[in-house]
Amino acid sequence: MIRTNDLKKVYTTEEVETTALNSVNLEINQGEFVAIMGPSGCGKSTLLNVLGLLDSPSDGEYYFLDQEVSAFSERQRASLRKQNIGFVFQSFNLIDELTVYENVELPLLYLGVPSKERKKQVTEALDQMAITHRKDHFPQQLSGGQQQRVAVARAVVGRPQLLLADEPTGNLDSIHGDEVMKILAELHEKGTTIVIVTHAPQYADYGSRLIHLLDGHVVTENLKGVSNA
């Protein structure tokens, strides 16, 4: 599903040049659950943004679904992204002025899904996240755990092949964090490819593979406890 060759991302200002990703080579296969760990500032979120087509690399190759997409325009990236990728963020990123139902429905509106099918898919996503009873509430009326359930429902309502989660438990207590991780594990069991960035080793253990980043480099990979440094 994903392959990168010498992927680089450099941010340049008038005063300084910062290398966020430096010669990253990795492969992620369909159906994997991959966890990415590393200290703050090591490039984890930058990597996730590039993999999720929210940003483009400065150099190197990025193959997504057998297409080399590193030079895609924003419009091309957006088209490919909305058809194939769902996102879950630490800060939930829900729209306060929309109800739970409307927040989850929004990606389907962008995709042009007909009204009857939208209702079916939103209902299924809300049921899957056990949040249907809150469908007419607004985000600020929900607990953090409930907001993250809504965010996951929104991410999966379009049935994406790939789900990217950037510190999805970072703003949650351990009980709600565990709940969110169990939901992601269930989605993985049903065939969704998942890549998660996390600081928590207990949540990284949900993955079938663990990637460690340091200073923009992949320094080690572990497959179910077997080191491939």
Side-chain angles (χ1 to χ4, degrees), residues 63-134:
Y63 292 86
F64 179 68
L65 297 177
D66 295 325
Q67 296 184 76
E68 211 291 297
V69 299
S70 60
F72 270 26
S73 66
E74 169 53 32
R75 178 174 293 183
Q76 289 173 308
R77 293 201 310 271
S79 177
L80 191 59
R81 183 173 64 236
K82 70 182 182 180
Q83 296 283 348
N84 297 285
I85 305 173
F87 296 89
V88 182
F89 301 97
Q90 177 177 345
S91 56
F92 314 138
N93 286 9
L94 300 176
I95 299 174
D96 290 339
E97 294 77 18
L98 299 182
T99 65
V100 165
Y101 185 99
E102 290 166 340
N103 265 282
V104 176
E105 182 185 34
L106 194 59
L108 301 182
L109 290 170
Y110 289 142
L111 288 170
V113 176
S115 176
K116 184 176 180 180
E117 181 61 24
R118 285 203 311 272
K119 182 176 181 180
K120 177 177 180 290
Q121 289 182 223
V122 172
T123 299
E124 288 177 354
L126 292 174
D127 286 347
Q128 189 175 18
M129 299 304 132
I131 199 70
T132 302
H133 62 295
R134 297 288 193 178

Side-chain angles (χ1 to χ4, degrees), residues 2-14:
I2 285 173
R3 178 165 58 89
T4 70
N5 295 323
D6 290 329
L7 199 70
K8 296 181 181 179
K9 183 64 181 179
V10 179
Y11 295 100
T12 304
T13 67
E14 291 183 0

